[in-house]
Amino acid sequence: MTENAQPATAKASATPRQIHWADYAPLLSLALIMGVFTLLVDQFWSFGTLSLVLQQSAVLAIVATGLTYVLLCAEIDLSVGMVALLSACVCGVMWEQPWAAGAKGTAHAASALTIVFVIGVPIVLATICGWISGRLTISSGLPSFIITLAMMNITLGLARFLTKSEKFAVPGVLTKIGNDGWRLFGGLRIPQSAVLAAVVMLVAHIVLEHTRFGRYVYMTGGNREAARLAGVRTDLVVIRCLAICGLTAAIGGLVNAGRLNSVSLDQNADLLLDAVACVVLGGTSLFGGEGSIGRTIIGVLTFTTLKVGLNLMNVERLIKQSPLPAGWKSQWLEASWVTQFDLLRPFLLGVVLLLALVIHGRLVKRRE
Amino acid sequence: MPDPTPLLDCRQIGVAYHGVSALVDVDFDVQAGEVHGLVGCNGAGKSTLMKVLAGVVPQYTGEIHLGGLPIRLDSPRRAIAHGIAMVYQELSGIGQLSVAENLFLSRQPRTRFGNIDWRRMRREARQALAELDIDIDVSRPLREFPLVIRQMVEIARGLHSGARVLILDEPTSALSLPEARRLFELMRTLKSRGVSLIFISHFLEDVLTVCDRVTILRDGRKLLTDQSAKLNRRAIIEQMVGGETAAAGQDATEVTLKPESKEPIRLRVDRWTRRGCFTGVSFKVHRGECLGLYGFVGAGHQELLHTIAGAQPVQAGEIRIDNSPRRIRHVADAVEQGVVLVGADRGQTVVRGASIARNITLAHLATSVGSWITTRKEVMVSQPVLEQVGCRPPDPCKPAGQLSGGNQQKVVLGKWLLGPIHVLLLEEPTRGMDVHAKTEIMRLVREQQKLGAAVILASTEPEMLLTYADRILTFSRGQVTAEFSGKLVTKADLMHAAERELERHD
């Protein structure tokens, strides 16, 4: 395929796409947050921090990938956290059955087939949950907001009933994925979970950018009626996106259970809101049609960098090292906002998120 | 004989939008207790005049007197304060609220504690409606009632806010015959109570039945005002259409249609029925023929196109393409059969945020781009299409929303060029476009026609149909009222047929 054979094509691609600040805002806020923590945290730029960010972002990235599909077609899935929990619980409960690994998961060795079964069933189940949410959203004409809110409670209830609020063990392979990694040079450690997340995102990216289904997702979100009038089965697109979201939620939930080496009901409580924050922070529109997996990566990295940075920040040391008058220093070191800084971390996380999102929103508004 | 001092007297009203005159020196008066009909073609200035009275067009020139005193209507609030109320064609009532709440919208009675006095509100609402002989449960939501009741509630709301002049804009166009009769009774009741009504309608029979006097507008000027007893339909239509046969522009006002085509039948529709839109519609279109569908807004001919294209369901009927029965449940089914729709509302046919290339390839992605999609391939596929339809600028990477209306429409049409077009359905394809864009769009349509496509063109503009259609069907209230082919047809003939009543056999 030569350029000469297609002069028209060459002319067209020579026209640059209009570039606007709003397109780069997510990247800039990531850089800004990294910059601020470089100043505030000792040795922030280290392989240790990078490994920590990768480790912490894997589950979030997997869940946010499915959520990106849902947001792209202008819907939302509020059940991701609890669907993740339910699939981990189903996995744990099955694993402790006598036909699998038995009580505490250690009674006897399980065959590879059993392990595949114990991991596969919850994934299929979660996909079905998403599919049901999608079907009901389409057939009832209600917003997915309401349907998935109900689905959230249904899955939470099922998880409670299955586990009877007890702790369960998970297959060793999940523990490995959740905790092991490959040590590279200079203390850099690539967690297996991060590699899994990368694979999930890569597949999701290829589907979104290079297949018909991916294109239909964008067009359905951009203008559902126009897509429908062009012959796109927009109802099926929405149902499939919600099913995909269930699928990734299950993978995320299983990896998270592996990371924590067990399943219990207190897991994944923040997962939904964190994942939504990541997707939106990356610049994907809540109103559909605009966004990408690449943006979600940026969003996830921004969010985890912020979280890790806040955790690494040592306020007392910062005050001691600062060139402030000694009187102020001793006074501040006694103050409650320093001694109980741990309790303030969610507050700071919220404030920074809010700032970033409001600035993005205003930039997008200015472009239009 | 007209009263020497009319209740509402408009003198030499003029309105210009951006230097283009919409109304010129119109004198218009309404007596107390009179029903005054206002008729004219699309764009004659009826709605502009009514907007002046409703206070929506504050930049008008001329004088308005109410009860002998000069007034200035520079805001809707002012108009309502003077007792002029408007009942719009698209009802403004809020369906979720109860009838009583709608009647008292923004003026709910309060108790002495400042909260809404529901009991008093319901009682007064019941009284207000009883005075108009409407007996309904006022605590039920408005949306549960048929259109005619909703219109009556709207009228009652106007009266209750102290209106002396009520303006009714096309109130009967979506009503069945008995419903329309009920509305006329109400109008007579109001008249006997001294309320003045201005009645705007395309349905001249209705106008002549219910009005005392009729004013005819054409091209922003008043032609005449006369007692309705002295007028008849033919005379009114002749006046509305006027001697503009030789008028400027390419739009025909009379044309000799072709006899029905001898080509094989491409599309045949039998007893096609969609509840609330149209009933038992049957027709056929031949290869290479352009069938025009004419009717007023709400006549059902536009919804008809949507159902044929699979975008809306029908309750009954059969469809045959090239003489074999087909089932179309989704737009995708229709597209596969080569039945494609170009809709009127580009907000519903163009994905504005997506690139032009993505809009072009959307419908035939599999066959044109294949299963591995890249921007490069898409650009290569859409570039020749853009050149074929003459889109300006022909840049496939630009967001479609940045194009002008005419060019967006070319993109919508261009999208179908990537697949077979057997039946091309056009709903007001050139609405809001300049002459140049209009000709270009219709040139593309003609090309498809020459290639054997059957074209169905639905419009509310008679000129459009007289210019482009080979054969014309007229619609009124969901039914075909006449078919024109093989003889001389004028704009007046079409309008006659479109406002004609078919007596229902029920």
Side-chain angles (χ1 to χ4, degrees), chain B residues 261-273:
Chain B
S261 166
K262 296 281 187 298
E263 291 283 314
I265 294 171
R266 178 109 271 178
L267 174 80
R268 187 186 191 110
V269 174
D270 273 313
R271 302 184 310 279
W272 207 239
T273 302

Side-chain angles (χ1 to χ4, degrees), chain A residues 224-236:
Chain A
R224 191 169 296 184
E225 186 61 9
R228 194 177 75 91
L229 289 179
V232 176
R233 291 292 305 272
T234 52
D235 44 354
L236 298 186

Side-chain angles (χ1 to χ4, degrees), chain A residues 18 210 215 223 226 228 231 233, chain B residues 311 347-348 350 373 378 402:
Chain A
Q18 273 162 316
H210 296 293
R215 176 55 44 83
N223 186 339
R228 194 177 75 91
R233 291 292 305 272
Chain B
Q348 292 186 349
V350 177
I373 298 166
E378 275 191 313
Q402 289 181 10

Side-chain angles (χ1 to χ4, degrees), chain B residues 250 404-406 430-441:
Chain B
Q250 51 185 344
S404 68
T430 60
R431 183 193 280 168
M433 286 180 204
D434 58 46
V435 180
H436 182 67
K438 195 169 171 171
T439 353
E440 280 197 39
I441 297 282

Side-chain angles (χ1 to χ4, degrees), chain B residues 313-492:
Chain B
V314 284
Q315 275 80 41
E318 274 176 26
I319 203 164
R320 283 169 165 267
I321 296 167
D322 293 333
N323 213 18
S324 61
R326 302 292 164 91
R327 210 165 154 221
I328 293 176
R329 282 167 305 172
H330 304 285
V331 180
D333 296 343
V335 172
E336 205 173 299
Q337 318 277 356
V339 178
V340 302
L341 170 74
V342 175
D345 182 359
R346 283 181 294 280
Q348 292 186 349
T349 51
V350 177
V351 186
R352 296 207 162 110
S355 70
I356 296 172
R358 287 183 166 199
N359 272 285
I360 292 274
T361 56
L362 179 60
H364 295 289
L365 208 49
T367 47
S368 66
V369 184
S371 32
W372 179 260
I373 298 166
T374 63
T375 309
R376 194 186 159 77
K377 273 202 223 166
E378 275 191 313
V379 167
M380 279 190 339
V381 167
S382 49
Q383 192 76 53
V385 174
L386 290 181
E387 265 147 41
Q388 191 185 343
V389 298
C391 176
R392 293 280 162 276
D395 174 1
C397 302
K398 226 175 147 73
Q402 289 181 10
L403 294 174
S404 68
N407 282 304
Q408 283 187 15
Q409 195 71 314
K410 288 177 194 165
V411 169
V412 174
L413 243 166
K415 154 174 81 190
W416 300 123
L417 296 179
L418 288 174
I421 302 182
H422 296 320
V423 179
L424 180 56
L425 307 165
L426 305 169
E427 180 197 5
E428 304 281 4
T430 60
R431 183 193 280 168
M433 286 180 204
D434 58 46
V435 180
H436 182 67
K438 195 169 171 171
T439 353
E440 280 197 39
I441 297 282
M442 292 317 287
R443 175 183 60 83
L444 293 167
V445 171
R446 281 275 155 87
E447 268 172 28
Q448 289 307 312
Q449 223 176 310
K450 283 204 191 86
L451 292 173
V455 176
I456 305 182
L457 173 61
S459 180
T460 53
E461 294 167 25
E463 296 86 353
M464 176 88 197
L465 294 167
L466 291 172
T467 314
Y468 294 105
D470 299 326
R471 201 152 54 88
I472 299 174
L473 297 182
T474 54
F475 273 71
S476 175
R477 295 176 190 178
Q479 284 177 308
V480 177
T481 52
E483 174 171 348
F484 296 92
S485 67
K487 55 175 195 251
L488 185 80
V489 183
T490 63
K491 198 171 150 183

